[in-house]
C-alpha cells in the first residue's frame, strides 16, 4: 500500500521546514473535539487516539495535555519526528486538514490505512 509518493513526501517535507504555519492548524486547538474525546474517554469508549497526518503534532500535544491518561499517537510521513507508522491500532483516528494534501491516486490507500489503524 503506497500512501504517498516520493515527490509528494519531499514537497510536504519542504513545506513543513519552510513554513512555520504549515501543519500547525487543523484540530490543534479544537476544544470541541478535545471535549468530545474527553467525554468518550470518561465513559470508557476511547482509551487511545492517533492523529494521522499530524503535521507539527500540535493536536496530539494539546490532547495529551488535556487528558493525561489517554494514549495519544501522532503520525505524519513528511515529518521526521512523526514518520514512524504505528504498528498497532487505536480506538480513534483523527485527521485534520490532511486529505487535500493526499494525491488523488492515493486517497483510497490512505483511507484504508486509517481504517486499519482504527480498531473501533
Amino acid at each position: 500500500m503506497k500512501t504517498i509518493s516520493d515527490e509528494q513526501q519531499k514537497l510536504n517535507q519542504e513545506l513543513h521546514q519552510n513554513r512555520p504555519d504549515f501543519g500547525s492548524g487543523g484540530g490543534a486547538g479544537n476544544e470541541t473535539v478535545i471535549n468530545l474525546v474527553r467525554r468518550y474517554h470518561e465513559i470508557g469508549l476511547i482509551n487511545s487516539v492517533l492523529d494521522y497526518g499530524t503535521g507539527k503534532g500540535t493536536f496530539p500535544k494539546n490532547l495529551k495535555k488535556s487528558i493525561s491518561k489517554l494514549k495519544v499517537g501522532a503520525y505524519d510521513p513528511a515529518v521526521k519526528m512523526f514518520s514512524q507508522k504505528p504498528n498497532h491500532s487505536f480506538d480513534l483516528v483523527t485527521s485534520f486538514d490532511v486529505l487535500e494534501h493526499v494525491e488523488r491516486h492515493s486517497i483510497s490507500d490512505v483511507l484504508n490505512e486509517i481504517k486499519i489503524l482504527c480498531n473501533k
Side-chain angles (χ1 to χ4, degrees):
M1 180 177 348
K2 182 81 169 165
T3 58
I4 187 168
S5 69
D6 294 338
E7 296 83 15
Q8 186 70 23
Q9 186 167 6
K10 183 178 178 189
L11 172 65
N12 287 348
Q13 287 169 338
E14 289 171 1
L15 287 168
H16 281 291
Q17 290 170 359
N18 298 329
R19 289 188 37 204
D21 64 319
F22 188 79
S24 61
N30 193 325
E31 286 301 316
T32 302
V33 175
I34 291 172
N35 287 333
L36 285 169
V37 172
R38 179 182 294 109
R39 181 67 186 125
Y40 281 108
H41 178 66
E42 288 170 352
I43 62 175
L45 293 177
I46 294 176
N47 292 307
S48 60
V49 176
L50 171 68
D51 191 39
Y52 187 99
T54 196
K56 303 230 178 1
T58 308
F59 179 69
K61 178 182 169 187
N62 290 341
L63 191 58
K64 186 66 176 174
K65 190 179 349 175
S66 295
I67 312 167
S68 62
K69 292 184 179 179
L70 189 67
K71 295 174 188 160
V72 179
Y75 172 65
D76 195 313
V79 179
K80 188 172 185 172
M81 177 188 292
F82 304 117
S83 63
Q84 184 67 36
K85 193 179 300 182
N87 58 6
H88 63 282
S89 60
F90 294 78
D91 295 336
L92 174 68
V93 177
T94 59
S95 188
F96 300 100
D97 295 331
V98 172
L99 292 179
E100 69 271 22
H101 302 286
V102 176
E103 298 156 294
R104 180 167 281 159
H105 64 273
S106 298
I107 292 282
S108 292
D109 286 340
V110 168
L111 292 173
N112 190 44
E113 185 168 73
I114 289 171
K115 181 181 174 185
I116 290 167
L117 289 167
C118 190
N119 61 32
K120 292 193 177 191

